[in-house]
Protein backbone atom coordinates (compact mmCIF):
# COMPACT_ATOMS: atom_id res chain seq x y z
CA UNK A 1 0.00 0.00 0.00
CA UNK A 2 2.07 2.90 -1.28
CA UNK A 3 1.48 6.50 -0.22
CA UNK A 4 1.62 9.56 -2.44
CA UNK A 5 3.86 12.40 -1.36
CA UNK A 6 0.84 14.53 -0.46
CA UNK A 7 -0.69 11.78 1.67
CA UNK A 8 2.64 11.19 3.37
CA UNK A 9 2.89 14.87 4.27
CA UNK A 10 -0.53 14.91 5.88
CA UNK A 11 0.15 11.74 7.90
CA UNK A 12 3.51 13.16 8.98
CA UNK A 13 1.80 16.32 10.17
CA UNK A 14 -0.61 14.34 12.33
CA UNK A 15 2.16 12.10 13.67
CA UNK A 16 4.85 14.67 14.36
CA UNK A 17 2.94 17.81 15.33
CA UNK A 18 1.61 16.30 18.54
CA UNK A 19 -1.86 17.49 17.56
CA UNK A 20 -3.11 13.90 17.06
CA UNK A 21 -6.45 15.30 15.92
CA UNK A 22 -6.91 18.26 13.60
CA UNK A 23 -10.03 19.93 12.31
CA UNK A 24 -9.67 20.85 8.68
CA UNK A 25 -11.79 23.43 6.92
CA UNK A 26 -11.56 23.29 3.14
CA UNK A 27 -10.80 26.82 1.95
CA UNK A 28 -7.97 28.60 0.18
CA UNK A 29 -6.12 29.18 3.46
CA UNK A 30 -6.49 25.55 4.47
CA UNK A 31 -3.69 23.54 6.04
CA UNK A 32 -4.09 21.07 3.20
CA UNK A 33 -3.44 23.64 0.50
CA UNK A 34 -0.37 25.19 2.08
CA UNK A 35 1.19 21.95 3.25
CA UNK A 36 -0.02 18.98 1.24
CA UNK A 37 -0.47 20.89 -2.00
CA UNK A 38 -3.86 19.55 -3.11
CA UNK A 39 -5.33 21.73 -5.80
CA UNK A 40 -9.04 21.79 -4.91
CA UNK A 41 -11.59 21.02 -2.20
CA UNK A 42 -12.82 18.05 -4.19
CA UNK A 43 -9.32 16.65 -4.67
CA UNK A 44 -8.48 17.09 -0.97
CA UNK A 45 -11.75 15.47 0.15
CA UNK A 46 -11.23 12.50 -2.18
CA UNK A 47 -7.72 11.89 -0.86
CA UNK A 48 -8.75 12.23 2.77
CA UNK A 49 -11.58 9.75 2.28
CA UNK A 50 -9.20 7.37 0.53
CA UNK A 51 -6.83 7.46 3.53
CA UNK A 52 -9.80 6.85 5.82
CA UNK A 53 -11.03 3.91 3.71
CA UNK A 54 -7.56 2.35 3.92
CA UNK A 55 -7.70 2.58 7.71
CA UNK A 56 -4.82 5.06 7.91
CA UNK A 57 -6.86 7.78 9.59
CA UNK A 58 -10.23 8.25 11.20
CA UNK A 59 -12.17 10.92 9.37
CA UNK A 60 -15.50 12.29 10.56
CA UNK A 61 -17.67 15.08 9.24
CA UNK A 62 -18.52 17.57 11.98
CA UNK A 63 -21.84 18.39 10.27
CA UNK A 64 -20.68 21.95 9.75
CA UNK A 65 -19.99 23.02 6.21
CA UNK A 66 -16.86 21.44 4.74
CA UNK A 67 -15.34 20.62 8.14
CA UNK A 68 -13.63 17.32 8.93
CA UNK A 69 -11.91 15.90 11.98
CA UNK A 70 -8.91 13.74 11.10
CA UNK A 71 -7.04 11.43 13.48
CA UNK A 72 -4.09 9.21 12.59
CA UNK A 73 -4.59 5.50 13.37
CA UNK A 74 -1.97 3.01 14.52
CA UNK A 75 -2.11 1.50 11.02
CA UNK A 76 -1.39 4.96 9.65
CA UNK A 77 1.68 5.28 11.86
CA UNK A 78 2.96 1.89 10.75
CA UNK A 79 2.35 2.68 7.09
CA UNK A 80 4.12 6.00 7.45
CA UNK A 81 7.20 4.63 9.20
CA UNK A 82 7.16 1.04 7.98
CA UNK A 83 7.89 -1.28 10.88
CA UNK A 84 10.21 1.25 12.52
CA UNK A 85 8.70 3.77 14.95
CA UNK A 86 11.74 5.49 16.49
CA UNK A 87 10.44 5.96 20.02
CA UNK A 88 9.11 2.39 20.21
CA UNK A 89 12.47 1.07 19.05
CA UNK A 90 14.48 3.17 21.50
CA UNK A 91 12.25 2.14 24.40
CA UNK A 92 12.54 -1.56 23.57
CA UNK A 93 14.09 -3.59 26.40
CA UNK A 94 16.89 -5.65 24.87
CA UNK A 95 17.08 -9.26 26.01
CA UNK A 96 20.89 -9.40 25.68
CA UNK A 97 20.91 -11.64 22.61
CA UNK A 98 22.04 -10.90 19.07
CA UNK A 99 20.34 -12.61 16.13
CA UNK A 100 22.68 -13.60 13.33
CA UNK A 101 21.67 -14.39 9.78
CA UNK A 102 24.01 -15.99 7.29
CA UNK A 103 23.16 -17.10 3.77
CA UNK A 104 24.70 -19.39 1.20
CA UNK A 105 23.67 -18.14 -2.22
CA UNK A 106 25.76 -18.57 -5.38
CA UNK A 107 27.20 -15.46 -6.98
CA UNK A 108 25.04 -15.93 -10.06
CA UNK A 109 21.84 -15.77 -7.95
CA UNK A 110 21.86 -12.01 -8.28
CA UNK A 111 18.09 -11.50 -8.07
CA UNK A 112 17.80 -13.70 -4.98
CA UNK A 113 20.73 -11.91 -3.34
CA UNK A 114 19.26 -8.52 -4.13
CA UNK A 115 15.86 -9.44 -2.69
CA UNK A 116 17.38 -10.84 0.49
CA UNK A 117 19.64 -7.82 0.95
CA UNK A 118 16.66 -5.51 0.51
CA UNK A 119 14.75 -7.47 3.15
CA UNK A 120 17.67 -7.34 5.58
CA UNK A 121 18.06 -3.60 5.18
CA UNK A 122 14.33 -3.02 5.62
CA UNK A 123 14.51 -4.98 8.92
CA UNK A 124 17.57 -2.89 9.93
CA UNK A 125 19.98 -5.79 10.07
CA UNK A 126 23.60 -4.65 9.98
CA UNK A 127 26.22 -6.30 7.80
CA UNK A 128 28.94 -7.57 10.11
CA UNK A 129 30.90 -9.07 7.21
CA UNK A 130 30.17 -10.67 3.84
CA UNK A 131 27.03 -12.74 4.11
CA UNK A 132 26.84 -12.41 7.91
CA UNK A 133 24.21 -9.97 9.18
CA UNK A 134 23.17 -9.11 12.73
CA UNK A 135 20.30 -7.49 14.62
CA UNK A 136 19.30 -6.95 18.24
CA UNK A 137 15.63 -7.61 17.43
CA UNK A 138 13.98 -10.90 18.42
CA UNK A 139 12.98 -13.43 15.78
CA UNK A 140 9.61 -12.59 14.26
CA UNK A 141 8.45 -15.01 11.58
CA UNK A 142 11.49 -14.21 9.45
CA UNK A 143 11.55 -17.62 7.79
CA UNK A 144 8.16 -17.07 6.18
CA UNK A 145 9.06 -13.50 5.26
CA UNK A 146 12.27 -14.62 3.57
CA UNK A 147 10.37 -17.26 1.65
CA UNK A 148 7.96 -14.53 0.53
CA UNK A 149 10.96 -12.69 -0.92
CA UNK A 150 11.61 -15.63 -3.25
CA UNK A 151 14.55 -16.88 -1.19
CA UNK A 152 14.81 -20.52 -0.16
CA UNK A 153 14.85 -20.38 3.67
CA UNK A 154 16.95 -23.56 3.69
CA UNK A 155 19.79 -21.45 2.30
CA UNK A 156 19.62 -19.13 5.30
CA UNK A 157 21.02 -19.86 8.78
CA UNK A 158 19.55 -18.04 11.79
CA UNK A 159 21.34 -18.07 15.16
CA UNK A 160 21.11 -16.43 18.58
CA UNK A 161 24.37 -15.30 20.17
CA UNK A 162 26.12 -13.17 22.82
CA UNK A 163 29.47 -11.41 22.58
CA UNK A 164 32.39 -13.00 24.45
CA UNK A 165 36.11 -12.41 24.59
CA UNK A 166 37.74 -9.17 23.46
CA UNK A 167 34.77 -7.74 21.54
CA UNK A 168 31.93 -6.36 23.65
CA UNK A 169 28.52 -5.15 22.44
CA UNK A 170 29.77 -1.67 21.55
CA UNK A 171 32.65 -3.21 19.64
CA UNK A 172 30.23 -5.32 17.62
CA UNK A 173 28.01 -2.30 16.98
CA UNK A 174 30.89 -0.15 15.77
CA UNK A 175 31.92 -2.89 13.31
CA UNK A 176 28.38 -3.42 12.04
CA UNK A 177 26.82 0.04 11.63
CA UNK A 178 28.47 3.23 10.38
CA UNK A 179 27.45 5.56 13.18
CA UNK A 180 29.93 8.20 12.05
CA UNK A 181 27.92 8.58 8.83
CA UNK A 182 24.58 8.25 10.65
CA UNK A 183 25.56 11.07 13.03
CA UNK A 184 26.87 13.25 10.19
CA UNK A 185 23.48 13.01 8.51
CA UNK A 186 21.58 13.74 11.71
CA UNK A 187 23.90 16.71 12.31
CA UNK A 188 23.09 18.04 8.82
CA UNK A 189 19.41 17.71 9.66
CA UNK A 190 19.83 19.50 12.99
CA UNK A 191 21.71 22.35 11.33
CA UNK A 192 18.91 22.69 8.78
CA UNK A 193 16.07 22.96 11.31
CA UNK A 194 18.16 25.20 13.55
CA UNK A 195 18.91 27.74 10.83
CA UNK A 196 15.70 27.63 8.77
CA UNK A 197 11.99 27.28 9.45
CA UNK A 198 8.88 26.57 7.34
CA UNK A 199 6.63 29.42 6.31
CA UNK A 200 3.10 29.48 4.94
CA UNK A 201 2.30 29.09 1.26
CA UNK A 202 4.35 27.42 -1.49
CA UNK A 203 7.65 28.09 0.29
CA UNK A 204 6.61 25.71 3.07
CA UNK A 205 6.24 22.89 0.54
CA UNK A 206 9.81 23.43 -0.64
CA UNK A 207 11.05 23.58 2.96
CA UNK A 208 9.36 20.32 3.91
CA UNK A 209 10.67 18.60 0.78
CA UNK A 210 14.23 19.49 1.77
CA UNK A 211 13.52 18.57 5.38
CA UNK A 212 12.22 15.17 4.30
CA UNK A 213 15.29 14.43 2.17
CA UNK A 214 17.67 15.28 5.03
CA UNK A 215 15.69 13.29 7.59
CA UNK A 216 15.33 10.21 5.41
CA UNK A 217 19.02 10.14 4.52
CA UNK A 218 19.75 9.37 8.18
CA UNK A 219 16.57 7.45 8.98
CA UNK A 220 17.11 4.89 6.23
CA UNK A 221 20.48 3.72 7.59
CA UNK A 222 19.81 4.01 11.34
CA UNK A 223 19.32 0.61 13.06
CA UNK A 224 17.38 2.35 15.89
CA UNK A 225 19.05 0.54 18.73
CA UNK A 226 17.45 0.56 22.20
CA UNK A 227 18.84 2.96 24.81
CA UNK A 228 21.03 0.30 26.39
CA UNK A 229 22.94 -0.23 23.12
CA UNK A 230 23.15 3.27 21.67
CA UNK A 231 26.65 4.73 21.17
CA UNK A 232 27.39 7.59 23.57
CA UNK A 233 27.37 10.33 20.91
CA UNK A 234 24.35 9.06 18.97
CA UNK A 235 22.35 12.03 17.58
CA UNK A 236 19.19 10.28 16.42
CA UNK A 237 17.08 11.10 19.46
CA UNK A 238 18.12 14.76 19.37
CA UNK A 239 17.18 14.98 15.69
CA UNK A 240 13.84 13.22 16.23
CA UNK A 241 12.84 15.60 19.05
CA UNK A 242 13.89 18.57 16.92
CA UNK A 243 11.75 17.27 14.08
CA UNK A 244 8.70 16.88 16.28
CA UNK A 245 9.21 20.35 17.70
CA UNK A 246 9.44 22.08 14.32
CA UNK A 247 6.31 20.28 13.08
CA UNK A 248 4.45 21.14 16.27
CA UNK A 249 5.34 24.84 16.16
CA UNK A 250 4.52 25.15 12.48
CA UNK A 251 1.20 23.28 12.76
CA UNK A 252 0.01 25.26 15.77
CA UNK A 253 0.96 28.55 14.12
CA UNK A 254 -0.84 27.60 10.93
CA UNK A 255 -3.92 26.32 12.68
CA UNK A 256 -4.27 29.05 15.27
CA UNK A 257 -6.33 31.40 13.05
CA UNK A 258 -8.84 28.57 12.54
CA UNK A 259 -9.30 27.90 16.28
Amino acid sequence: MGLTRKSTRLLELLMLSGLDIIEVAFNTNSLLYSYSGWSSDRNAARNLKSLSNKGLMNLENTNSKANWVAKLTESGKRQLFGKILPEDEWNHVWDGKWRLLSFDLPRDASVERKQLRKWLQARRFGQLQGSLWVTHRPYDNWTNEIQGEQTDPKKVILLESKTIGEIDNQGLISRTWKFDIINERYEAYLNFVKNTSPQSGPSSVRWFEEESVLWNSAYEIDPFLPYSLQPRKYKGRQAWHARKEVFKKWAHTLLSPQS
Side-chain angles (χ1 to χ4, degrees):
M1 187 193 304
L3 290 175
T4 66
R5 182 179 298 180
K6 295 173 184 178
S7 296
T8 298
R9 285 178 184 156
L10 180 59
L11 294 182
E12 279 187 327
L13 174 67
L14 287 168
M15 174 70 182
L16 295 168
S17 66
L19 294 174
D20 189 38
I21 298 174
I22 60 172
E23 185 167 345
V24 180
F26 293 136
N27 55 62
T28 54
N29 295 317
S30 159
L31 171 69
L32 296 176
Y33 284 130
S34 59
Y35 179 63
S36 296
W38 284 317
S39 57
S40 68
D41 291 348
R42 180 179 299 178
N43 192 16
R46 183 173 62 251
N47 281 274
L48 281 172
K49 289 178 181 177
S50 175
L51 291 173
S52 178
N53 291 337
K54 292 174 181 177
L56 304 182
M57 66 164 56
N58 292 325
L59 186 65
E60 298 179 2
N61 196 311
T62 64
N63 296 321
S64 57
K65 185 178 180 181
N67 276 5
W68 298 84
V69 173
K71 180 179 181 181
L72 186 64
T73 65
E74 286 300 316
S75 294
K77 293 178 184 178
R78 293 292 173 183
Q79 178 67 21
L80 182 59
F81 289 99
K83 292 191 174 183
I84 303 296
L85 289 172
E87 288 173 345
D88 288 354
E89 298 296 323
W90 293 326
N91 290 327
H92 174 74
V93 178
W94 186 50
D95 63 4
K97 298 178 181 178
W98 295 101
R99 277 74 188 183
L100 303 177
L101 184 149
S102 181
F103 58 86
D104 182 20
L105 296 172
R107 290 289 180 183
D108 58 0
S110 58
V111 174
E112 201 170 2
R113 280 175 165 270
K114 183 178 180 180
Q115 288 294 101
L116 182 57
R117 186 182 183 89
K118 183 178 179 181
W119 180 88
L120 287 163
Q121 291 172 337
R123 297 300 177 275
R124 306 305 168 107
F125 277 74
Q127 188 175 21
L128 183 58
Q129 60 180 28
S131 61
L132 182 60
W133 295 67
V134 62
T135 182
H136 63 281
R137 295 181 174 85
Y139 177 83
D140 183 20
N141 200 30
W142 295 339
T143 302
N144 288 341
E145 288 188 19
I146 290 169
Q147 191 168 18
E149 296 295 329
Q150 308 304 313
T151 298
D152 184 353
K154 293 180 180 179
K155 297 179 180 179
V156 174
I157 299 172
L158 293 165
L159 299 170
E160 286 187 345
S161 181
K162 293 184 178 182
T163 58
I164 58 174
E166 294 293 323
I167 302 298
D168 60 9
N169 290 326
Q170 285 301 316
L172 184 145
I173 288 167
S174 67
R175 293 184 180 202
T176 303
W177 291 282
K178 298 178 180 179
F179 271 95
D180 53 342
I181 296 176
I182 292 170
N183 282 332
E184 282 180 9
R185 295 184 181 185
Y186 278 130
E187 187 65 36
Y189 178 85
L190 286 164
N191 288 334
F192 176 76
V193 297
K194 178 181 179 180
N195 295 310
T196 66
S197 59
Q199 306 298 320
S200 60
S203 62
S204 71
V205 174
R206 292 191 295 272
W207 188 94
F208 279 104
E209 285 178 347
E210 187 169 353
E211 184 271 349
S212 180
V213 169
L214 287 169
W215 170 258
N216 284 320
S217 71
Y219 174 85
E220 289 170 359
I221 62 173
D222 190 342
F224 290 100
L225 301 172
Y227 289 114
S228 61
L229 291 175
Q230 289 172 10
R232 186 171 59 87
K233 296 182 179 181
Y234 172 61
K235 294 181 179 293
R237 287 180 291 159
Q238 183 183 354
W240 174 253
H241 293 312
R243 190 176 200 221
K244 290 175 66 176
E245 187 63 23
V246 74
F247 270 75
K248 182 179 180 179
K249 286 182 178 179
W250 179 80
H252 278 279
T253 300
L254 194 62
L255 289 171
S256 58
Q258 299 179 17
S259 58

